[in-house]
Amino acid sequence: MFSSLAVSRVSTRSVLSTLVVLLASVPLIYVFIHSGQLSLSQWSNLWSARLPGLLFNTLSLAILVAVGSFVLGVSSAWLITRREFFGRRLATWLMILPLTIPTYVFAHIYTSLTEREGWLGLLWAGIFGEDVPNPELYNVFGAAFVLSIAGFSYVFLLVSDALTRSRVDIEEAARLHGLTPRQVFWKVSLPMLRPAIAAGLALVVLHVLSDFGAVSMLRYQTFTLSIYLQMSGRFDLQAAAGLSLVLVALSLTFLILERFFRDRQRYYSAAQAQRTKRRAATKVELTFIWGWLGLITTFAFALPVAWMLVWTWEAWQQSLISEEFWGYVQNSLIVSVAAATLATLAALPVALFHARLRNKISQGYLHMASIGFVLPGPVIALGILSFVLSMLPWIYGTMFVLLLAMLIRFLPLAVQAQEASVQQLSPSLEEAGRSLGATPWENLTRIVIPVLRTGLVSAWVLVFIDTLKELPATLLLRPTGFDTLPVRIWVEASEEMLELAAPSALMLMLGTLPVLWFLMRQHDAATK
Amino acid sequence: MKRAITALFTLWMAAFSSQLFAEELIVYSGRSDKFIKPVIKAFTKETGINVVLHTGSSTALLNKLNLEGERTKADLYISNDAGNLQKGTEFKLFQPMDDKLVKVIPANFRAKDNSWVGLSARARVLVVNTKDKSADFVKSVFDLADPRLKGKLGITHSSNESYIAGVTVYLRANNEKVIKSWLNGMKANVGSSVFNKHSKIVKAVANGRKSIGLVNHYYIYRHLAKHPDAPIKVVLPDQRKDDMGVAWNVAGVAIVKHSSKKKAAQQLVEFMVSEAGQKLFADVNQEYPTRPGVPAAEKVPTRASYKVADVPMTDLGEYRAATLDIIEAVGMP
């Protein structure tokens, strides 16, 4: 009886997850169809004329950002998890707060700060004199700077998590055997952290590969920007699809790397996580710690927020914040809430399916659901657009199209977040419930949902945050006249209306804060 | 939870139904909201027809229109670049307008088949620092390639629509070889340091960081309105006897081919080419109204006072690809 129940469950799950996965693969199918229309000579032209430069640009940016995020993320994580010092909780927060600011906002703010008349430009002129030209951000280093401060928090989160769970006893054993603290770090701690660091860096690189906002504001030609320019400037959809295909291959490599290292991390972390003992920091260490973390925070959070506040104040003074502004806030909230809910629900069958089956097919489904991570936003939007126009024309122009794109883009986040908690839901748990006389409904509300709660909430929050910041797909697919905060930031920033872009950016940050707080609280509870 | 879902659902339905049933015009607008809203407001006040502005980059919106085909919700398309408008004509996205409707606008400011009509024009001029004499020799845009201006010249990056349009005009008035060596000269003068905004060029010239810059005329007047004492002046290039004249570009409007509200759309175009509409449309950005007899803002040199390059605006679309090829071949930043 139980086995027949399990079978029918699996098949419902398999049907539902097949549907979700099929939907998720729409943009990839689109890319295949369009790049298939490229002739051989067009391919070789693309190959020789564009690819070398783009590969070089994209990879050098990815490497620089990886280095930057490594330095910022690992150092801050190590200091915070291994020393007890005044303001440690606050420091943890300061390291993740940059996640509330989208990359294009960082890019926009830093380009105006480093202008001659900007705060940093004036500072530069004050120190080095008027004649030394101030550094520009319109190059690989500028883009790497912006994407590093915008992305290092991912590395921080993963590495500090691994550090909290790591086996302190091994380090202690190494100390007992006469290794110096430095040797312990390089020979014991760092090797154990390798999977977490690698997973974090792979995640950062994936974000670099698909970033559209920052590179287009800094005019740094990566694959994603070039694809967008091919589509919108030259109306060359085939070439855009061809380039996308190469990008997919590139991203897929990093995605597989990330999965590989995440699995390894599970293996490394101790079965019974031991609470790390944090040594109290000495005075000298305290100065160093806050000096370094303060420097990171200044650039990754304080300075951008100060900029937003100053210009929002300016806008307030000129009474530029109109009723329409609150309409944009409302639109952003509607899309984000709806997309987060949809993605969380859609991810559930895929995660459950994998938890139950654990075979090649379910693994494959998991990979297919990650397509949103390997395709750039503009391409996903275009794929959805042509799919909807040819198959579901009656929903075109409604919000469902936009939600569909958000669902596909952020499904990987939702699936990953749920995967962990789904693993705890062993079939025996449900069967035990049933054998003790629980109805299916009771089983659902008293066993399944409580076990999955953490995963469901994190999935919801992660998708909410990313939808709130989403730009390229929203630009193309929003219903007519439906402007969200990112769209307004984009429009105002490209017209250089700083006073108008700032309130939207500030609002975006404030909107992310409560959900981030919620997520962190849950995270803390889980690691305690 | 249930109540939240019901509320959400109601909200959605409200959002959708307003889209389905309201009688309103939808305009894909590539022009900044600030410069189009006053015109739209006046139009709604006069006719009672509501207008929804869907703002974005001109090129991206044209692309969207092209992909949507007959499914589009757009009734009109507004762009600040004749190149994009002409591209739309090439893609057969617009429906030609009645001669009666648009004949008040001179023929060189509209498509041959009247599928788009220019509403306001801008001039590509030079902004020069009045205290700095080093750029005084410049009489033509081609002088900007002179090595004497090394490090002193401000231009935008080469994917700027106005920049591309300007180069297209010069290309039509000259030949490819001239343009290539001109671009190469400018590239040598600016290195890789170009501006992403015209307004920043004007600012840089005003504070002496650059001596001269190539911009659309209204950016200079905008800066002067905020800083009346700024040491900058406008120089109209290429005015000597055999010179080609100043390059112009127009912002314009087209009625989308698959619009179901043709009549209301025509009303909006009619309003925009009327004397009142023209004055509004051009005044908000100190541009030249395309309708003869409607004066431009007072400070702006009158159109009769200088020579304008004799290149039809439709060329800006037809030869854009050729321009892009040259720009890419030179490798302009």
Short mmCIF file of all heavy atoms in Angstrom, two decimals, chain B residues 19-44:
data_model
loop_
_atom_site.label_atom_id
_atom_site.label_comp_id
_atom_site.label_asym_id
_atom_site.label_seq_id
_atom_site.Cartn_x
_atom_site.Cartn_y
_atom_site.Cartn_z
N GLN B 19 -5.90 47.46 -18.69
CA GLN B 19 -5.18 47.43 -19.96
C GLN B 19 -6.08 46.98 -21.10
O GLN B 19 -5.91 47.40 -22.23
CB GLN B 19 -4.03 46.44 -19.86
CG GLN B 19 -2.77 47.12 -19.48
CD GLN B 19 -1.72 46.11 -19.15
OE1 GLN B 19 -1.79 44.96 -19.56
NE2 GLN B 19 -0.74 46.53 -18.42
N LEU B 20 -7.00 46.11 -20.77
CA LEU B 20 -7.82 45.54 -21.83
C LEU B 20 -8.89 46.51 -22.32
O LEU B 20 -9.19 46.56 -23.49
CB LEU B 20 -8.48 44.25 -21.34
CG LEU B 20 -7.55 43.05 -21.23
CD1 LEU B 20 -8.27 41.85 -20.66
CD2 LEU B 20 -6.99 42.69 -22.62
N PHE B 21 -9.46 47.24 -21.39
CA PHE B 21 -10.66 47.97 -21.78
C PHE B 21 -10.50 49.48 -21.95
O PHE B 21 -11.30 50.11 -22.60
CB PHE B 21 -11.78 47.69 -20.78
CG PHE B 21 -12.06 46.22 -20.63
CD1 PHE B 21 -11.82 45.56 -19.44
CD2 PHE B 21 -12.52 45.48 -21.71
CE1 PHE B 21 -12.05 44.19 -19.33
CE2 PHE B 21 -12.76 44.12 -21.60
CZ PHE B 21 -12.53 43.47 -20.40
N ALA B 22 -9.46 50.05 -21.35
CA ALA B 22 -9.37 51.50 -21.42
C ALA B 22 -9.09 51.97 -22.84
O ALA B 22 -8.39 51.31 -23.60
CB ALA B 22 -8.27 51.98 -20.49
N GLU B 23 -9.67 53.10 -23.20
CA GLU B 23 -9.43 53.69 -24.51
C GLU B 23 -8.26 54.65 -24.38
O GLU B 23 -8.41 55.78 -23.96
CB GLU B 23 -10.68 54.46 -24.95
CG GLU B 23 -11.62 53.64 -25.81
CD GLU B 23 -10.99 53.23 -27.13
OE1 GLU B 23 -10.64 54.11 -27.93
OE2 GLU B 23 -10.84 52.02 -27.34
N GLU B 24 -7.10 54.17 -24.73
CA GLU B 24 -5.96 55.05 -24.59
C GLU B 24 -4.92 54.73 -25.66
O GLU B 24 -4.90 53.63 -26.21
CB GLU B 24 -5.35 54.93 -23.19
CG GLU B 24 -4.99 53.51 -22.83
CD GLU B 24 -4.67 53.34 -21.35
OE1 GLU B 24 -4.92 54.27 -20.57
OE2 GLU B 24 -4.19 52.27 -20.98
N LEU B 25 -4.08 55.72 -25.91
CA LEU B 25 -3.02 55.51 -26.89
C LEU B 25 -1.77 55.04 -26.17
O LEU B 25 -1.43 55.52 -25.10
CB LEU B 25 -2.71 56.83 -27.59
CG LEU B 25 -3.69 57.27 -28.67
CD1 LEU B 25 -3.30 58.66 -29.16
CD2 LEU B 25 -3.69 56.28 -29.83
N ILE B 26 -1.10 54.08 -26.78
CA ILE B 26 0.15 53.62 -26.19
C ILE B 26 1.30 54.08 -27.08
O ILE B 26 1.32 53.80 -28.27
CB ILE B 26 0.15 52.10 -26.02
CG1 ILE B 26 -0.87 51.76 -24.92
CG2 ILE B 26 1.52 51.60 -25.65
CD1 ILE B 26 -1.17 50.31 -24.79
N VAL B 27 2.22 54.82 -26.48
CA VAL B 27 3.33 55.38 -27.24
C VAL B 27 4.63 54.76 -26.76
O VAL B 27 4.95 54.83 -25.58
CB VAL B 27 3.41 56.92 -27.05
CG1 VAL B 27 4.59 57.48 -27.82
CG2 VAL B 27 2.12 57.57 -27.49
N TYR B 28 5.36 54.12 -27.66
CA TYR B 28 6.73 53.68 -27.37
C TYR B 28 7.61 54.89 -27.56
O TYR B 28 7.73 55.41 -28.67
CB TYR B 28 7.17 52.59 -28.33
CG TYR B 28 6.64 51.21 -28.02
CD1 TYR B 28 5.71 51.00 -26.99
CD2 TYR B 28 7.07 50.10 -28.75
CE1 TYR B 28 5.24 49.72 -26.70
CE2 TYR B 28 6.60 48.82 -28.47
CZ TYR B 28 5.69 48.64 -27.45
OH TYR B 28 5.22 47.39 -27.18
N SER B 29 8.19 55.37 -26.47
CA SER B 29 8.92 56.63 -26.58
C SER B 29 10.39 56.48 -26.25
O SER B 29 10.76 56.05 -25.16
CB SER B 29 8.29 57.67 -25.65
OG SER B 29 9.18 58.73 -25.44
N GLY B 30 11.23 56.85 -27.19
CA GLY B 30 12.67 56.83 -26.98
C GLY B 30 13.19 58.20 -26.57
O GLY B 30 14.38 58.43 -26.52
N ARG B 31 12.27 59.11 -26.28
CA ARG B 31 12.67 60.45 -25.88
C ARG B 31 12.50 60.56 -24.38
O ARG B 31 11.66 59.89 -23.80
CB ARG B 31 11.74 61.45 -26.57
CG ARG B 31 12.26 62.85 -26.65
CD ARG B 31 11.28 63.68 -27.48
NE ARG B 31 11.45 65.10 -27.24
CZ ARG B 31 12.31 65.85 -27.88
NH1 ARG B 31 13.09 65.31 -28.78
NH2 ARG B 31 12.40 67.14 -27.62
N SER B 32 13.32 61.39 -23.72
CA SER B 32 13.19 61.40 -22.26
C SER B 32 11.80 61.87 -21.85
O SER B 32 11.21 62.75 -22.46
CB SER B 32 14.24 62.21 -21.56
OG SER B 32 14.68 63.27 -22.20
N ASP B 33 11.30 61.25 -20.80
CA ASP B 33 9.97 61.56 -20.27
C ASP B 33 9.77 63.05 -20.09
O ASP B 33 8.72 63.60 -20.40
CB ASP B 33 9.80 60.88 -18.90
CG ASP B 33 9.26 59.48 -19.04
OD1 ASP B 33 9.18 59.00 -20.19
OD2 ASP B 33 8.90 58.87 -18.02
N LYS B 34 10.82 63.69 -19.57
CA LYS B 34 10.72 65.10 -19.22
C LYS B 34 10.37 65.95 -20.44
O LYS B 34 9.70 66.96 -20.33
CB LYS B 34 12.07 65.54 -18.65
CG LYS B 34 11.98 66.68 -17.71
CD LYS B 34 13.33 66.98 -17.10
CE LYS B 34 14.31 67.47 -18.14
NZ LYS B 34 15.52 68.04 -17.55
N PHE B 35 10.85 65.53 -21.61
CA PHE B 35 10.67 66.35 -22.82
C PHE B 35 9.41 66.00 -23.59
O PHE B 35 9.06 66.66 -24.55
CB PHE B 35 11.88 66.20 -23.74
CG PHE B 35 13.15 66.63 -23.10
CD1 PHE B 35 14.33 65.95 -23.33
CD2 PHE B 35 13.16 67.73 -22.24
CE1 PHE B 35 15.50 66.35 -22.72
CE2 PHE B 35 14.33 68.12 -21.62
CZ PHE B 35 15.50 67.44 -21.87
N ILE B 36 8.75 64.92 -23.20
CA ILE B 36 7.57 64.54 -23.96
C ILE B 36 6.30 64.72 -23.14
O ILE B 36 5.23 64.99 -23.66
CB ILE B 36 7.73 63.09 -24.50
CG1 ILE B 36 6.56 62.67 -25.37
CG2 ILE B 36 7.90 62.09 -23.41
CD1 ILE B 36 6.74 63.07 -26.78
N LYS B 37 6.42 64.63 -21.83
CA LYS B 37 5.24 64.70 -20.98
C LYS B 37 4.43 65.98 -21.11
O LYS B 37 3.20 65.92 -21.17
CB LYS B 37 5.63 64.45 -19.52
CG LYS B 37 5.62 62.97 -19.19
CD LYS B 37 5.57 62.70 -17.72
CE LYS B 37 5.47 61.20 -17.47
NZ LYS B 37 6.26 60.78 -16.31
N PRO B 38 5.08 67.16 -21.19
CA PRO B 38 4.28 68.39 -21.33
C PRO B 38 3.40 68.36 -22.58
O PRO B 38 2.25 68.81 -22.54
CB PRO B 38 5.34 69.49 -21.45
CG PRO B 38 6.56 68.92 -20.83
CD PRO B 38 6.51 67.45 -21.07
N VAL B 39 3.92 67.81 -23.67
CA VAL B 39 3.15 67.73 -24.91
C VAL B 39 1.96 66.79 -24.73
O VAL B 39 0.83 67.09 -25.14
CB VAL B 39 4.05 67.22 -26.06
CG1 VAL B 39 3.31 67.27 -27.38
CG2 VAL B 39 5.34 68.01 -26.12
N ILE B 40 2.23 65.64 -24.11
CA ILE B 40 1.18 64.64 -23.90
C ILE B 40 0.08 65.21 -23.01
O ILE B 40 -1.11 65.04 -23.28
CB ILE B 40 1.78 63.38 -23.26
CG1 ILE B 40 2.83 62.76 -24.18
CG2 ILE B 40 0.71 62.39 -22.88
CD1 ILE B 40 2.29 62.24 -25.48
N LYS B 41 0.51 65.92 -21.96
CA LYS B 41 -0.48 66.49 -21.04
C LYS B 41 -1.39 67.47 -21.77
O LYS B 41 -2.61 67.46 -21.60
CB LYS B 41 0.23 67.18 -19.87
CG LYS B 41 0.52 66.21 -18.76
CD LYS B 41 0.93 66.91 -17.47
CE LYS B 41 1.40 65.88 -16.46
NZ LYS B 41 2.59 66.30 -15.72
N ALA B 42 -0.78 68.33 -22.58
CA ALA B 42 -1.56 69.32 -23.33
C ALA B 42 -2.53 68.62 -24.27
O ALA B 42 -3.69 69.02 -24.43
CB ALA B 42 -0.63 70.25 -24.10
N PHE B 43 -2.06 67.54 -24.89
CA PHE B 43 -2.90 66.79 -25.83
C PHE B 43 -4.09 66.16 -25.12
O PHE B 43 -5.22 66.27 -25.58
CB PHE B 43 -2.06 65.71 -26.51
CG PHE B 43 -2.86 64.73 -27.33
CD1 PHE B 43 -3.40 65.13 -28.55
CD2 PHE B 43 -3.07 63.44 -26.90
CE1 PHE B 43 -4.14 64.24 -29.32
CE2 PHE B 43 -3.81 62.55 -27.66
CZ PHE B 43 -4.34 62.95 -28.87
N THR B 44 -3.84 65.52 -23.98
CA THR B 44 -4.92 64.90 -23.22
C THR B 44 -5.93 65.94 -22.76
O THR B 44 -7.14 65.72 -22.79
CB THR B 44 -4.35 64.14 -22.01
OG1 THR B 44 -3.37 63.23 -22.47
CG2 THR B 44 -5.43 63.39 -21.26
#
